[in-house]
Amino acid sequence: YAKLENRKNDFRLFSLANPGPSSSFNPLKGSSAQEVTERVFSSFSFENEYYKNVQYKIFLSLVRLVFVQKETPTFSLIHRLLVDMDELAKWVEACPEEALKREMIRFMKLSEKEREERTSGLETMIGHFTIGEAACLFEETDHSIDFDVALKEGQIIYFQLPTMYFPFLASATGKLVLQCFQNAVSKRQMNMGGANDDESEVLFVHT
């Protein structure tokens, strides 16, 4: 379609099975740490509600730590901060918010066993996005898919998410994609004062 309509430059591909020609997509890009954390935890499944709440708080704090330093969070960065206390210490030292800094210092003072008990499930789920050939797809790059830009410029975006080969990763990515798209559409409608766009906005997620 894109070739026939002379719109090759508008086409963006995201394929878990074929990272080479794919554009990246950063699900952790957002306007606030709370928004990003809600998005992620709506896409993950937790068996234990208590540990879900504990890990939600930890994840939110790590994302906030990145936001307050005017950086863009990614799964690889959050995973590194979660498991590497030396790296986390550098970010905490540079944190301008004292309350957040104290909270992170308390986390760092936990024993390795205590931290593992509180974060093992979260670490495992984030690891799906940071290990393997598909990990590069979730980094923030100059060619990342941005739904705000896509809607503004009328881009054609195709997500190929084969759940047969990547059961967890494809399912979680699909949920993250839909939430990011819905957020972009909502912002677009708000900017238009609630009016409907004249052009149809359609997202296809292939599983």
Side-chain angles (χ1 to χ4, degrees):
Y1 168 80
K3 186 176 181 180
L4 288 174
E5 297 296 323
N6 196 29
R7 296 188 61 191
K8 289 190 294 183
N9 292 335
D10 294 330
F11 181 76
R12 302 288 185 275
L13 169 69
F14 180 98
S15 173
L16 289 177
N18 193 10
S22 295
S23 297
S24 63
F25 167 67
N26 180 13
L28 304 195
K29 189 173 184 178
S31 57
S32 72
Q34 190 78 46
E35 173 197 322
V36 169
T37 303
E38 289 286 351
R39 179 187 304 155
V40 169
F41 275 70
S42 295
S43 303
F44 291 174
S45 297
F46 295 84
E47 295 181 359
N48 187 298
E49 192 67 24
Y50 169 76
Y51 282 110
K52 176 183 178 180
N53 292 332
V54 169
Q55 292 170 11
Y56 178 99
K57 184 178 180 181
I58 294 170
F59 188 90
L60 175 59
S61 296
L62 293 174
V63 175
R64 283 178 58 204
L65 187 65
V66 177
F67 263 89
V68 297
Q69 297 183 50
K70 310 300 182 184
E71 299 291 342
T72 301
T74 62
F75 275 123
S76 62
L77 175 56
I78 297 301
H79 184 266
R80 193 160 68 248
L81 296 177
L82 186 64
V83 302
D84 187 339
M85 293 302 101
D86 290 336
E87 181 69 17
L88 179 58
K90 296 176 184 177
W91 282 78
V92 172
E93 180 64 28
C95 179
E97 292 189 6
E98 289 301 320
L100 178 57
K101 180 182 287 190
R102 289 194 297 270
E103 184 179 335
M104 294 281 50
I105 289 175
R106 285 196 297 270
F107 174 72
M108 292 165 58
K109 286 184 176 179
L110 295 173
S111 68
E112 185 176 347
K113 181 179 180 181
E114 288 176 316
R115 286 198 302 271
E116 184 177 333
E117 288 176 348
R118 297 186 185 197
T119 65
S120 60
L122 179 62
E123 181 185 342
T124 299
M125 283 184 274
I126 294 177
H128 287 280
F129 297 87
T130 63
I131 299 172
E133 294 182 359
C136 62
L137 293 174
F138 300 97
E139 296 294 342
E140 181 70 22
T141 68
D142 293 337
H143 303 288
S144 292
I145 292 170
D146 185 320
F147 285 120
D148 292 331
V149 174
L151 291 175
K152 181 179 179 180
E153 298 182 357
Q155 294 177 352
I156 303 167
I157 304 177
Y158 180 75
F159 282 86
Q160 186 180 46
L161 308 173
T163 52
M164 181 178 296
Y165 298 105
F166 307 96
F168 173 86
L169 186 59
S171 176
T173 301
K175 294 175 183 177
L176 290 165
V177 167
L178 289 172
Q179 290 186 75
C180 288
F181 180 70
Q182 289 169 347
N183 181 264
V185 171
S186 296
K187 285 193 292 184
R188 183 174 174 83
Q189 290 178 338
M190 288 177 62
N191 291 336
M192 296 173 61
N196 291 323
D197 200 343
D198 291 334
E199 297 182 3
S200 299
E201 297 162 342
V202 182
L203 173 74
F204 289 98
V205 178
H206 181 263
T207 60

